[in-house]
Amino acid sequence: KAVVSTQSTGGPTGRGVCEYYGVDPADVDILMGTFSKSFGAAGGYIAASKEVISHLRSQSHAEVYATAISPPVCRQIMAATEAIMGRDGTNEGIRRINQLAE
């Protein structure tokens, strides 16, 4: 089973498509999505077991030709995640998630 989410922040608390549809992420073999729309950044992610990630790294041409996310973009993603989770001390992130859901 794989879940691809281009909007990465669905669900009542912004935890993505698994939360939105009530799917336990532990029941999904591969989770992947982008950081472009929901996080205002560039790039994406793949979350899976160490075995799957090792296989992708060793067999994917992107491992050879792709570049890592730049530090400023990485910080933008981290800041957006912190805001969504309320770790920035505000409810601004969840307010925006709710606004998008309306």
Side-chain angles (χ1 to χ4, degrees):
K1 299 163 273 204
V3 174
V4 177
S5 175
T6 59
Q7 296 293 342
S8 297
T9 57
T13 63
R15 294 180 182 257
V17 71
C18 286
E19 181 184 43
Y20 183 81
Y21 287 108
V23 174
D24 184 348
D27 293 335
V28 179
D29 298 320
I30 301 173
L31 291 165
M32 55 190 256
T34 66
F35 294 130
S36 57
K37 295 177 184 172
S38 300
F39 292 87
Y45 66 91
I46 296 178
S49 68
K50 286 183 180 183
E51 293 81 17
V52 170
I53 297 299
S54 292
H55 175 76
L56 291 173
R57 283 183 173 154
S58 68
Q59 300 300 313
S60 172
H61 72 281
E63 179 68 18
V64 176
Y65 298 108
T67 59
I69 295 174
S70 70
V73 172
C74 185
R75 184 64 193 118
Q76 167 62 25
I77 294 163
M78 291 170 61
T81 303
E82 290 165 1
I84 290 167
M85 297 175 74
R87 292 186 179 167
D88 64 346
T90 73
N91 66 351
E92 182 64 18
I94 198 67
R95 184 191 68 75
R96 289 183 183 200
I97 294 295
N98 291 332
Q99 184 179 14
L100 289 171
E102 294 173 355

